Amino acid sequence: MNKTEFIKEVALISGVENIVVEHVLNVSMDVIKDTVEQGIEVSFRGFGKFYLSRIKEKKGHHFVTGEKIIIPEKKIMKFKTFRNKRKELI
């Protein structure tokens, strides 16, 4: 399911117009992104959490010239689901 399909499904189930659902979804994703960039986890009980992860600096090489390079450390946002052993979806 892509974002457009998701918006249509939520709009259908909730009885709210697509444009309103899309706006709320976009604002929600922006709030999550901005919060995680500040180093604060965003957690939804029973669903999962968004958090910041660091990828350490590492050695590499330029694929054209073969020159050795250092790939700098970077931060990425990750999502981890909460696994509840008592509830199965299927």
Side-chain angles (χ1 to χ4, degrees), residues 40-58:
I40 302 167
E41 286 185 1
V42 176
S43 179
F44 297 98
R45 180 179 239 165
F47 181 64
K49 68 178 179 177
F50 295 90
Y51 63 99
L52 193 62
S53 180
R54 289 185 170 83
I55 298 177
K56 294 180 182 179
E57 179 181 278
K58 59 185 175 181

Side-chain angles (χ1 to χ4, degrees), residues 7-67:
I7 290 168
K8 286 180 183 177
E9 187 71 19
V10 172
L12 179 68
I13 293 170
S14 66
V16 178
E17 292 182 26
N18 287 11
I19 193 77
V20 175
V21 173
E22 182 177 11
H23 178 71
V24 170
L25 179 61
N26 288 337
V27 170
S28 299
M29 292 189 321
D30 287 344
V31 169
I32 291 169
K33 180 179 171 260
D34 293 344
T35 303
V36 171
E37 283 178 348
Q38 295 174 27
I40 302 167
E41 286 185 1
V42 176
S43 179
F44 297 98
R45 180 179 239 165
F47 181 64
K49 68 178 179 177
F50 295 90
Y51 63 99
L52 193 62
S53 180
R54 289 185 170 83
I55 298 177
K56 294 180 182 179
E57 179 181 278
K58 59 185 175 181
K59 296 178 183 178
H61 67 278
H62 190 281
F63 67 95
V64 174
T65 65
E67 177 185 359

